[in-house]
Amino acid sequence: MAELVFFSGTMDCGKSTLALQMDHNHRARGRGGVRFTRNDRAGGSRISSRLGLETDAVEVADSTDFWDEVVSRRTKGQRVDFLICDEAQFYSPVQVEQLARVVDEVDVDVFAFGITADFRTRLFPGSQRLIELADRVQVLQVEALCWCGRRATQNARTVDGVMVMEGAQVVVGDVDMAGDPAAAGGEGHVPAVGYETLCRRHYMRRVTAHGAHIMAQQDELLPFEVDACLWRGSRGAPG
């Protein structure tokens, strides 16, 4: 029996790496499949892992119909036993329903990989529909880490290292810029949008790696734990 399986987790937990590994394993056993992705860090029509693995894929657009994609390929004699769907949080709820139909009606396995919640801890529409319809939801066991070393559970968006809580749900940014103290430039600087994973504690306190770096350089020794105070650069911090 074919299944719709949703592999979820924060950034940096190895979703794309697992997607490529599963694609390899199934093809090695003679199964035919199609790789899909949307808004990958490497650009259009690619699935890439932060470990350096990368391969071609079909770029998903708003107009993509997964039912038509599978039927068209099978009509042409191509073998389609499974689909690898990376960055599935960016798919529309209707597209997720198409994936479920592919599983149920033509017995094609669908392995979807994506982030569950955005930088505001709100569910992505595609992820929400996957949770509602998937036969199985698996949280990846490779734990992403906060800058403090604790298990990261939240995805944070930063602008020049400062965590923000407002803005469009989908904005392309650089993960490597998120905690870079050099990101905040001088006059004429273009703000750098970045992302980083934080533990719930530091997400709620709005303390990013960049903020922690600034506080650690303070000359005055504080008589309490340094991350307990909300640094002045924190935007939208509670209290």
Side-chain angles (χ1 to χ4, degrees), residues 25-188:
N25 289 352
H26 282 265
R27 291 178 187 276
R29 295 298 178 265
R31 306 190 79 204
V34 185
R35 296 180 293 265
F36 291 94
T37 189
R38 184 166 192 176
N39 298 333
D40 187 87
R41 67 184 68 84
S45 302
R46 306 293 293 174
I47 294 178
S48 65
S49 163
R50 292 191 178 90
L51 294 182
L53 303 174
E54 185 175 333
T55 192
D56 61 293
V58 177
E59 184 73 13
V60 176
D62 292 339
S63 59
T64 299
D65 186 314
F66 287 104
W67 176 264
D68 289 345
E69 292 282 341
V70 172
V71 170
S72 175
R73 284 171 171 77
R74 284 196 165 183
T75 300
K76 296 175 183 177
Q78 297 180 22
R79 184 168 182 175
V80 181
D81 301 309
F82 68 94
L83 303 181
I84 297 292
C85 297
D86 200 25
E87 306 294 352
Q89 71 272 10
F90 298 136
Y91 300 1
S92 71
V94 171
Q95 288 172 329
V96 173
E97 292 169 7
Q98 293 163 2
L99 292 173
R101 184 187 178 196
V102 164
V103 173
D104 295 336
E105 302 295 336
V106 291
D107 206 30
V108 171
D109 284 310
V110 174
F111 305 111
F113 304 80
I115 297 169
T116 305
D118 64 16
F119 70 104
R120 300 164 299 183
T121 69
R122 303 292 192 270
L123 290 175
F124 283 97
S127 297
Q128 178 177 337
R129 199 68 180 125
L130 277 164
I131 292 171
E132 294 166 347
L133 294 180
D135 296 296
R136 288 187 289 128
V137 177
Q138 294 191 198
V139 178
L140 298 195
Q141 297 302 307
V142 177
E143 296 183 352
L145 297 178
C146 178
W147 57 264
C148 68
R150 295 185 180 92
R151 176 172 176 260
T153 59
Q154 312 296 331
N155 302 303
R157 178 183 294 171
T158 65
V159 176
D160 288 341
V162 178
M163 184 173 161
V164 295
M165 294 296 292
E166 297 180 354
Q169 188 174 52
V170 180
V171 175
V172 177
D174 187 350
V175 174
D176 294 332
M177 295 292 290
D180 184 2
E187 186 176 352

Side-chain angles (χ1 to χ4, degrees), residues 203-214:
Y203 179 89
M204 298 298 290
R205 295 177 177 182
R206 313 292 190 260
V207 181
T208 65
H210 178 48
H213 177 83
I214 290 177

